[in-house]
Amino acid sequence: MDRRTDTREAIRSVALELFSERGYDRASLRELADRLRITKAAVYHHFATKQDILASLAEEFAVPLDHVLAWGRDQPAGPATRHELLRRYADLLVGRHGRLVRFLEDDRAGLRELAPARRLLGRLDELSALLRDGGPAPEATLRARLCLVALHDGAAMSAAMSAAPGGTRAAPAEEAHRREAALAVAQDLVGPMGS
């Protein structure tokens, strides 16, 4: 049973790398199997399609994201809520979740027709709406979207540094610093706590 779980997790991790590098449409299950040095049949044993892999990754992230959204819906609108929403969301973007969201944002147009991606992107749109302040609509919408971009880029930068050639992983303090820097930029975009 452990070997089956390990193979399933390896497929999900390598698939996300492949989707991020090549785009969802250009990534193939054959290439995925080759990278893992397993047969295509072994991939099919765990996932019948690429969409099943994507759905698995999206569902894993959707659960904690739904908790953040539920919290945000229950709070009074204002700067303190927006700042806390950003902090809670930034906490979710550690590791694979950050790479997944960055991939979804980068390939948004190409993934629009896939139900798992569409549902997750809809959740991100809801988060963006919760982050909007009471300013003029175009500016408030743009600031909210830029907050998410800052956090997604910070997560992607940490993931890229961790996957650097030679397999050297950044020190936890360095990763935490990048995360905090991205969070600070995002929080600056939603304005000071007192406004």
Side-chain angles (χ1 to χ4, degrees):
M1 189 66 156
D2 288 339
R3 182 181 164 106
R4 179 172 166 25
T5 302
D6 290 347
T7 301
R8 183 177 173 82
E9 278 307 301
I11 290 169
R12 287 162 33 99
S13 293
V14 173
L16 183 54
E17 289 173 16
L18 191 60
F19 296 162
S20 297
E21 290 169 15
R22 300 183 48 74
Y24 179 82
D25 285 338
R26 292 194 341 250
S28 72
L29 291 180
R30 161 63 51 212
E31 187 175 3
L32 174 61
D34 290 347
R35 283 194 185 188
L36 288 164
R37 295 188 176 124
I38 61 175
T39 65
K40 196 171 169 186
V43 174
Y44 283 130
H45 178 72
H46 296 278
F47 298 99
T49 65
K50 287 191 304 184
Q51 187 168 343
D52 290 342
I53 299 170
L54 180 60
S56 172
L57 293 165
E59 288 165 11
E60 175 188 69
F61 183 57
V63 172
L65 180 54
D66 284 344
H67 292 298
V68 169
L69 291 171
W71 180 88
R73 282 185 227 111
D74 290 342
Q75 303 305 308
T81 297
R82 290 191 298 274
H83 279 254
E84 181 61 16
L85 268 171
L86 286 169
R87 189 199 59 75
R88 289 173 183 236
Y89 183 63
D91 288 346
L92 298 183
L93 296 178
V94 175
R96 179 165 51 203
H97 293 157
R99 291 190 307 274
L100 172 66
V101 172
R102 187 65 202 175
F103 150 69
L104 290 172
E105 287 287 355
D106 286 348
D107 206 1
R108 188 180 269 256
L111 296 169
R112 188 179 348 201
E113 300 304 317
L114 299 175
R118 193 172 52 245
R119 285 190 298 268
L120 195 53
L121 290 167
R123 286 174 170 100
L124 294 178
D125 290 342
E126 181 181 352
L127 178 59
S128 180
L130 289 170
L131 291 169
R132 286 190 58 209
D133 63 22
E139 291 87 354
T141 300
L142 181 58
R143 272 194 305 278
R145 294 294 303 154
L146 288 173
C147 289
L148 297 183
V149 168
L151 294 178
H152 297 165
D153 280 355
M157 187 171 49
S158 287
M161 298 296 263
S162 296
T168 57
R169 184 172 170 86
E174 188 178 338
E175 287 184 17
H177 178 71
R178 279 194 291 271
R179 180 188 161 282
E180 290 302 316
L183 181 56
V185 168
Q187 289 179 332
D188 282 348
L189 287 165
V190 295
M193 288 287 281
S195 66

